[in-house]
Amino acid sequence: MLVGLTVALLGVSLMAGSTGWSVPFGAEDDALVRQILWDIRAPRGVGAWLAGALLGLAGAVAQGLFRNPLADPYLLGSSSGAALGVAACLAALGVGPAATGWAVRLGLTGAAFAGSVLAVLLTLTLARGVQHTLRLLLAGVVVGVVLGACSALTMLLVPDIMRAMQAFMLGTTGFLGWSAVQVMAPVCALTLCVAWGGARALDALSLGDATARSLGVRMGAVRVWLVGAMALATGTAVAQAGLISFVGLVAPHLVRGRVPGTQGAVLMLSALAGGLLLLAADTVARLVIAPQELPVGVLTAVLGGIYLLWRMHRMEASA
């Protein structure tokens, strides 16, 4: 069902532009039609799906690894770290998010990944591991605030990147091209494989650390691999589409509420659900105030907040 919805939404995304249903079918200039469809809208739709899949997968990994249903890809300050890495890269290279070269896209992804890993390591160091959830959350907040301030300082020192960073802060898929797809697709495949490999360990971890160790799970190695996969997925999505909130938090909730099962199934379906959510949000963002375009990160924040308030109301009503 998720696959069918994704294919249908990709079709809608190809048709829908920021000026409405504006593909000139039947126009004499077929080259223009091909350029609009395959050089602009197709990579944007596929890229939006891949970015959402990365965030959905990272959110499912975070929730399974920390046994916290409120965990999301940005829990450990990784979003602020990734944003700092992108800001530093933009300041050093003097490029903007509209750059199309795959080497530039790869450089932005590498910088975002490095910043994301730095943030995660700082958070884990301050929290002294992942055993204490409250300490971990507080450490993540501290690291996020400090690295966010560093990003703001970088923009202050290099004002030329401020406009480019604004797009990252709001979250947008408008600059996604085939070069971004070429970067995100292999990263998505790699992180899916790593997450699938750690799925059985997450199943054991859901029963507690002691039970997992008694079952022979090497918790140290598993945490390193899964945290690395979460940081890579988050950093890649942030580098290409900016800070898009709630997708990584909501997608696993939607999956667990309808398809309870092992962590392997939850991880794979969360990636599909995340891609579907962001693709749908991107399509709506292009149409809701056409001919202008709403930043997709703003739309996901509003819809995600409404969804969580609705879930909270249902939980209170059933209590």
Side-chain angles (χ1 to χ4, degrees):
M1 180 178 178
L2 288 176
V3 176
L5 285 173
T6 300
V7 173
L9 270 174
L10 279 173
V12 173
S13 179
L14 286 176
M15 292 283 292
S18 58
T19 56
W21 306 86
S22 54
V23 175
F25 288 115
E28 295 179 0
D29 192 356
D30 292 338
L32 177 61
V33 175
R34 286 195 297 270
Q35 183 178 17
I36 292 173
L37 287 177
W38 305 114
D39 293 343
I40 300 175
R41 296 187 184 171
R44 178 170 181 167
V46 175
W49 188 90
L50 286 170
L54 287 168
L55 291 174
L57 176 64
V61 169
Q63 292 179 15
L65 186 61
F66 303 120
R67 302 195 299 277
N68 187 344
L70 294 179
D72 73 346
Y74 305 151
L75 171 69
L76 304 182
S78 56
S79 61
S80 298
L84 176 59
V86 169
C89 187
L90 290 174
L93 299 179
V95 298
T100 58
W102 70 268
V104 174
R105 287 286 179 177
L106 190 61
L108 289 174
T109 300
F113 174 59
S116 183
V117 170
L118 173 63
V120 169
L121 291 177
L122 284 174
T123 300
L124 294 178
T125 300
L126 291 175
R128 301 175 188 173
V130 297
Q131 288 78 18
H132 302 286
T133 302
L134 180 58
R135 183 185 294 169
L136 187 68
L137 292 174
L138 292 175
V141 170
V142 171
V143 170
V145 170
V146 171
L147 295 186
C150 292
S151 297
L153 180 60
T154 303
M155 288 188 284
L156 181 65
L157 295 176
V158 189
D160 292 340
I161 70 169
M162 194 170 296
R163 188 175 182 85
M165 284 301 297
Q166 183 183 31
F168 280 103
M169 295 299 183
L170 294 177
T172 179
T173 57
F175 302 119
L176 294 177
W178 288 120
S179 57
V181 172
Q182 291 171 355
V183 171
M184 285 191 288
V187 171
C188 188
L190 175 62
T191 51
L192 279 171
C193 291
V194 173
W196 179 262
R200 295 186 65 181
L202 289 177
D203 286 329
L205 185 60
S206 65
L207 303 175
D209 284 5
T211 302
R213 290 192 184 92
S214 68
L215 294 174
V217 177
R218 299 174 58 188
M219 294 309 305
V222 167
R223 285 194 172 103
V224 168
W225 279 102
L226 290 178
V227 167
M230 182 178 68
L232 178 58
T234 304
T236 302
V238 169
Q240 308 305 325
L243 299 177
I244 297 176
S245 57
F246 281 105
V247 171
L249 177 62
V250 171
H253 275 273
L254 292 175
V255 170
R256 287 193 181 92
R258 289 160 177 79
V259 190
T262 62
Q263 286 291 335
V266 170
L267 291 169
M268 300 301 109
L269 291 175
S270 294
L272 283 174
L276 182 62
L277 284 174
L278 187 53
L279 181 59
D282 180 56
T283 304
V284 173
R286 282 184 280 167
L287 295 175
V288 65
I289 57 172
Q292 294 183 344
E293 185 173 317
L294 185 68
V296 69
V298 174
L299 184 62
T300 59
V302 173
L303 296 180
I306 293 173
Y307 170 78
L308 290 180
L309 287 174
W310 173 74
R311 283 294 301 267
M312 183 176 66
H313 177 71
R314 285 195 60 184
M315 291 174 62
E316 290 177 351
S318 61

